[in-house]
Amino acid sequence: MDSESSNPAEISEHKFSDIAAISVEPSEVQVIPKSKRFPDNLSENLKIILGQNGKAYATMHGAGNAYVLAVGSKALNNYIRQLGMNEGHRLRKNDLSDLNHSLQAEAEMAGVRCDVFNRVAPTEGGIVIAMGDENHTHVKITPGFVELLSSGSDKLFSRSQASNAMVMPAQAGNLRLLEKYLNLHPVQALLFIAWISYTLAHPKVPASKFVILVLQGNQGSGKSLLCRIIKQVIDPSIVGLQVMPSNPKDIAIAAHNAHVLCFDNLRTISQGMSDILCTTSTGGALSSRQLYSDADMSIIEMHVALVLNGIHAFIEQPDLAQRCLPLWLLAIGEDKRRSEAQFEREFQQDLPAIMGGLFQLISNIFVYLPTVKVTHPERMLDFVYWLAAMEKVDGVPAGVYQAEYSNLLNQGQLDSLQENLLASEVLDFATQLNGSEWSGTPAELLNQLTLQASAQTQRSREWPQNSIALSKRLKPLAAGLKTQGISLEFTRGKERMITVKKDGVVDGYDDQF
């Protein structure tokens, strides 16, 4: 893909000498009571606000744009300790704990909220990205423009201790440099670029729906290396690839502090974890009772972009498969292998131009996004709109990228259905109908499926043992089966009835697509 599109965005640095750094209105400032245990100058140095997540933050002013530190964080505690040392006394651990409780309580009492973001924030017509450098530089991307804001930005970001700075974009961007690091078929490489630009261009707000990137390939195909590229481009962090946590709370905590999470070397995903990942990609929350409290709830938002990789086919639930972009990495020839040190050295040299080209692409897509038409609607519709706008940027016929995405989704759905014992048997049963339909009670359908299933399948714990279990397990599979041209109808008269029909159509497109 050529970064020199018909509407190239220009990167420019704007000096805001006549605009002061962001200030907090008087109504938002919580006056901190003076105490012999607290620094006298605390009120003058800390402006306390309440974030949209109910957490208190202190706005900080220094070099570049304003930023915030979470109340109770190690960074803010160290800052308060330094204020105390400047006055000649040390703050004890209990002093800091009492102060943090006071700051949180006063922020909640005031009820004044300010939006605080992690890496990407929304702005009118576009986004603002926190580069995470010491000067707190922001990049504002709107239709046709990319601006470096060294000061004067009106967005507040909270930086996790694990976050690293993003590489500053080069004046002349060149996204094509990224292609030589992608061990993918050219068509899938285009979809990867669409995914990485879409993911970076969407802040963690309720309206954002993140497509889950699934990377599969044989051993040595570079899955982990590609994940590290993703992290460096979208959300650099000292936390790289991770093992999939075993409980939702660990995922929620990790999601709170990142824009993208990469889980490495997956073999299987349970149905319960599949549901959690679905919630995480489209937005949800995990709630529990607060410690030492009978009624108060502790809420952790579960909303983050996800990358999953592995050798084996691990997406077994059709509902999860509909939220994924499955890509298959190619085998790396011996003549093309490079040491990781050489790979990293070359990538770091190209990264400024890659970042410039990526920002330009996002800006150009914003130009067309409000007016494009979707030709191949899918579950993650916002991503399809993004593909439609990228078609405009690249000057290709409408529907080309969308069709490739639909094709990959269809194949991914089929793979997930075939990994599911019951769905696999329904696929075989419907294929044998030869275009006709079958109707009967759940008990009759279970009998039909059991007759064709192998003895090993029948003995599996996943196989339904009665008609009630069959109906419960079929309903979640109906949407996935529909993508393969198989419709299930559940009706209730004197008896419950199930109708199975293979119509030869996949989501409105004929089988040859």
Side-chain angles (χ1 to χ4, degrees):
M1 181 178 58
D2 194 342
S3 61
E4 296 184 358
S5 62
S6 56
N7 288 281
E10 296 181 356
I11 298 181
S12 59
E13 182 169 359
H14 289 243
K15 302 298 183 182
F16 292 87
S17 56
D18 58 333
I19 301 177
I22 181 172
S23 60
V24 182
E25 295 298 324
S27 61
E28 300 172 359
V29 176
Q30 307 306 308
V31 179
I32 304 161
K34 291 188 177 181
S35 167
K36 288 186 292 184
R37 294 184 299 152
F38 303 152
D40 292 337
N41 60 350
L42 199 57
S43 296
E44 291 76 21
N45 286 277
L46 290 186
K47 312 302 181 186
I48 305 300
I49 63 173
L50 193 68
Q52 70 271 34
N53 56 4
K55 188 170 182 62
Y57 295 90
T59 60
M60 311 297 291
H61 301 269
N65 294 293
Y67 62 101
V68 301
L69 297 176
V71 169
S73 66
K74 182 178 179 181
L76 183 57
N77 284 344
N78 288 341
Y79 179 78
I80 294 173
R81 282 194 178 98
Q82 185 62 50
L83 291 179
M85 292 176 66
N86 292 342
E87 296 182 6
H89 63 274
R90 294 179 180 274
L91 293 180
R92 298 173 301 176
K93 184 177 181 181
N94 288 342
D95 294 338
L96 283 171
S97 178
D98 291 345
L99 176 59
N100 287 329
H101 285 303
S102 297
L103 296 178
Q104 179 69 40
E106 291 186 16
E108 292 175 358
M109 291 279 291
V112 178
R113 294 176 179 262
C114 296
D115 288 341
V116 175
F117 300 94
N118 176 265
R119 180 68 79 175
V120 185
T123 192
E124 185 175 358
I127 57 170
V128 175
I129 300 172
M131 299 303 289
D133 61 321
E134 293 302 319
N135 292 323
H136 308 285
T137 305
H138 295 177
V139 174
K140 184 178 181 180
I141 306 178
T142 52
F145 295 96
V146 178
E147 304 168 81
L148 295 181
L149 306 181
S150 56
S151 64
S153 175
D154 62 351
K155 301 300 178 183
L156 292 175
F157 292 92
S158 174
R159 180 178 175 182
S160 164
Q161 285 186 330
S163 295
N164 286 334
M166 298 175 74
V167 170
M168 288 294 173
Q171 184 77 18
N174 185 358
L175 193 51
R176 296 199 63 176
L177 292 174
L178 182 60
E179 296 175 5
K180 66 181 180 180
Y181 302 101
L182 303 181
N183 188 32
L184 295 164
H185 184 279
V187 172
Q188 294 198 13
L190 281 169
L191 293 177
F192 173 83
I193 290 172
W195 178 87
I196 208 167
S197 59
Y198 171 89
T199 302
L200 184 56
H202 283 75
K204 293 200 295 183
V205 295
S208 294
K209 311 299 179 186
F210 292 111
V211 177
I212 300 172
L213 181 63
V214 175
L215 302 175
Q216 287 185 253
N218 294 328
Q219 185 175 359
S221 57
K223 300 181 296 296
S224 298
L225 204 57
L226 185 54
C227 286
R228 287 199 287 271
I229 287 176
I230 291 169
K231 286 292 293 181
Q232 289 192 62
V233 171
I234 296 179
D235 189 25
S237 169
I238 61 174
V239 180
L241 277 67
Q242 303 178 64
V243 176
M244 172 75 77
S246 58
N247 63 77
K249 186 174 182 179
D250 288 342
I251 292 182
I253 292 172
H256 178 73
N257 294 304
H259 191 75
V260 61
L261 296 175
C262 297
F263 294 130
D264 192 32
N265 200 26
L266 276 71
R267 286 182 173 269
T268 184
I269 299 177
S270 67
Q271 183 172 347
M273 186 55 72
S274 291
D275 295 339
I276 293 297
L277 296 181
C278 289
T279 300
T280 301
S281 73
T282 53
L286 181 69
S287 62
S288 62
R289 183 178 65 83
Q290 282 189 352
L291 195 61
Y292 310 123
S293 170
D294 292 327
D296 291 339
M297 298 296 293
S298 173
I299 298 175
I300 306 176
E301 293 180 351
M302 298 181 65
H303 195 195
V304 72
L306 295 170
V307 181
L308 314 176
N309 83 55
I311 296 174
H312 307 279
F314 49 82
I315 304 294
E316 299 180 4
Q317 300 302 319
D319 193 38
L320 178 60
Q322 290 178 336
R323 291 169 166 83
C324 294
L325 171 61
L327 301 178
W328 286 264
L329 276 71
L330 305 174
I332 301 177
E334 294 297 329
D335 58 327
K336 294 184 179 180
R337 290 190 179 277
R338 289 172 286 180
S339 68
E340 288 199 22
Q342 180 185 0
F343 183 96
E344 182 68 17
R345 184 169 57 254
E346 293 178 4
F347 182 68
Q348 290 301 323
Q349 290 175 350
D350 290 335
L351 190 51
I354 290 172
M355 296 303 296
L358 181 60
F359 291 166
Q360 290 169 7
L361 174 62
I362 293 171
S363 176
N364 294 332
I365 287 176
F366 282 155
V367 172
Y368 296 104
L369 195 57
T371 59
V372 292
K373 304 296 183 182
V374 165
T375 59
H376 295 68
E378 295 291 350
R379 176 74 173 268
M380 305 300 278
L381 191 59
D382 288 347
F383 183 60
V384 183
Y385 274 102
W386 193 262
L387 290 172
M390 188 169 157
E391 291 167 349
K392 289 282 191 179
V393 172
D394 289 350
V396 302
V400 171
Y401 296 168
Q402 299 173 64
E404 292 296 342
Y405 173 56
S406 291
N407 189 36
L408 282 177
L409 271 188
N410 182 50
Q411 184 59 51
Q413 286 279 353
L414 179 59
D415 291 344
S416 69
L417 291 168
Q418 290 174 336
E419 291 293 323
N420 184 291
L421 290 182
L422 179 57
S424 179
E425 295 299 336
V426 174
L427 283 170
D428 291 343
F429 177 71
T431 301
Q432 296 169 18
L433 295 176
N434 295 321
S436 61
E437 67 179 48
W438 179 95
S439 293
T441 65
E444 291 170 340
L445 179 57
L446 178 59
N447 183 58
Q448 290 284 338
L449 296 176
T450 303
L451 286 175
Q452 73 179 32
S454 67
Q456 182 180 3
T457 296
Q458 295 176 40
R459 290 193 299 268
S460 171
R461 301 175 75 176
E462 298 179 25
W463 189 254
Q465 299 302 311
N466 54 61
S467 59
I468 295 176
L470 175 72
S471 296
K472 288 182 177 179
R473 296 187 187 186
L474 274 181
K475 288 179 180 179
L477 298 173
L481 290 167
K482 182 66 175 176
T483 66
Q484 307 305 310
I486 299 170
S487 59
L488 300 179
E489 292 184 18
F490 300 85
T491 56
R492 185 172 184 177
K494 292 183 178 180
E495 292 184 294
R496 296 177 186 271
M497 301 291 290
I498 300 177
T499 299
V500 182
K501 181 180 179 182
K502 182 167 175 59
D503 52 23
V505 175
V506 179
D507 268 347
Y509 310 109
D510 57 37
D511 282 339
Q512 68 181 4
F513 170 77

